[in-house]
């Protein structure tokens, strides 16, 4: 298997690196979960009456998508391993305590929450797909993107995001880079001056992190390594 994409534009958000140019200074040794860092973007593009209802995960996904500035009414793919797990756990705790459930929390606890909210905010009526595939959620989203682009070469936007899981699930996962959200506007044709991303079954010895990939994009710097059990290579013309 080999998948090749042109990256037309991109956006990303984490508590430490909130704008595209800030990813130029990404360093793995500086990853931190300091309590004074923001746990969600301010999302000033959205009226406060709306954004106050959104979870941190939804805000992260929307912020990355807004930064990517996708074409109007383009198709979208939203991928997340855990989805709205924090909100769902809160609802389960409400049930245990025999407390009433919040209608807003209930309606926004589904895996395609961000997909639906983005389509409403942007009046985007094009197709949207939501994907959860465990540790391979990003890879499977890229495979979905490749299939859609084979059917229709017009660019689409892929948004991937996750938060650290609630403490009760810590023993089941090992995810040091979260919270993080990234959005990529992808095409499968050879767009001049656009970064190229190739995913293949070839494997090397070097691991590739999300942060390193975003750092490469921000610095126009080629980079390659293993991610989600496949080999990822970012190149520039």
């Amino acid at each position: 298997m080999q998948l090749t994409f042109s990256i037309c534009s991109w956006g990303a958000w984490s508590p430490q690196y909130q704008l595209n140019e800030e990813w130029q200074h990404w360093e793995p040794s500086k990853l931190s979960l300091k309590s004074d860092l923001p746990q969600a973007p301010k999302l000033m593009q959205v009226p406060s009456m709306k954004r106050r209802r959104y979870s941190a995960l939804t805000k992260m996904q929307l912020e990355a998508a807004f930064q990517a500035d996708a074409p109007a009414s383009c198709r979208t793919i939203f991928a997340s391993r855990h989805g709205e797990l924090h909100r769902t756990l809160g609802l389960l705790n409400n049930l245990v305590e025999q407390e009433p459930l919040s209608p807003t929390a209930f309606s926004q606890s589904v895996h395609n929450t961000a997909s639906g909210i983005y389509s409403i905010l942007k009046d985007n009526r094009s197709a949207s797909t939501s994907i959860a595939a465990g540790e391979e959620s990003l890879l499977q989203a890229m495979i979905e993107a490749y299939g859609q682009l084979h059917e229709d070469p017009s660019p689409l936007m892929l948004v991937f995001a996750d938060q650290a899981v609630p403490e009760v699930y810590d023993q089941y996962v090992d995810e040091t880079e979260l919270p993080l959200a990234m959005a990529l506007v992808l095409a499968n044709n050879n767009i001049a001056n656009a970064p190229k991303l190739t995913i293949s079954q070839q494997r090397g010895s070097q691991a590739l992190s999300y942060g390193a990939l975003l750092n490469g994009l921000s610095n126009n710097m080629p980079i390659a390594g293993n991610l989600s059990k496949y080999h990822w290579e970012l190149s520039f013309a």
Side-chain angles (χ1 to χ4, degrees), residues 4-194:
T4 302
F5 304 92
S6 289
I7 301 178
C8 306
S9 61
W10 65 281
W13 189 94
S14 76
Q16 284 183 278
Y17 307 100
Q18 300 171 20
L19 299 172
N20 291 18
E21 55 268 24
E22 293 180 4
W23 289 96
Q24 294 177 11
H25 310 293
W26 173 87
E27 292 183 36
S29 60
K30 290 189 176 180
L31 290 175
S32 171
L33 294 177
K34 293 180 180 177
S35 59
D36 59 337
L37 291 173
Q39 295 307 301
K42 294 181 179 179
L43 210 67
M44 300 306 293
Q45 307 95 320
V46 180
S48 59
M49 285 295 289
K50 292 183 178 180
R51 68 173 182 262
R52 67 182 179 84
R53 301 175 183 175
Y54 301 160
S55 69
L57 179 68
T58 293
K59 290 178 181 178
M60 288 162 50
Q61 291 171 297
L62 292 175
E63 175 64 24
F66 290 158
Q67 288 183 23
D69 194 23
S73 297
C74 80
R75 295 161 293 162
T76 58
I77 299 170
F78 284 77
S80 175
R81 177 182 181 180
H82 305 298
E84 296 288 347
L85 182 58
H86 287 262
R87 179 159 267 170
T88 302
L89 184 60
L91 291 170
L92 292 174
N93 288 332
N94 291 151
L95 289 174
V96 170
E97 299 297 331
Q98 297 185 337
E99 298 173 350
L101 300 183
S102 159
T104 297
F106 182 77
S107 67
Q108 294 187 16
S109 64
V110 294
H111 210 85
N112 62 337
T113 294
S115 168
I117 291 175
Y118 178 82
S119 66
I120 292 170
L121 292 175
K122 288 291 189 178
D123 193 25
N124 185 342
R125 304 183 185 214
S126 296
S128 184
T129 305
S130 295
I131 288 180
E135 295 179 357
E136 297 186 11
S137 292
L138 176 57
L139 173 65
Q140 294 301 321
M142 300 299 291
I143 293 173
E144 173 69 17
Y146 188 84
Q148 290 194 25
L149 289 169
H150 180 75
E151 293 291 328
D152 177 356
S154 59
L156 57 78
M157 181 174 65
L158 187 157
V159 181
F160 168 76
D162 259 314
Q163 295 172 281
V165 297
E167 185 176 352
V168 67
Y169 297 117
D170 277 348
Q171 62 180 307
Y172 303 109
V173 296
D174 181 17
E175 300 168 318
T176 58
E177 289 194 86
L178 304 180
L180 177 141
M182 68 173 82
L184 306 171
V185 177
L186 301 171
N188 65 358
N189 49 333
N190 191 15
I191 297 179
N193 301 318

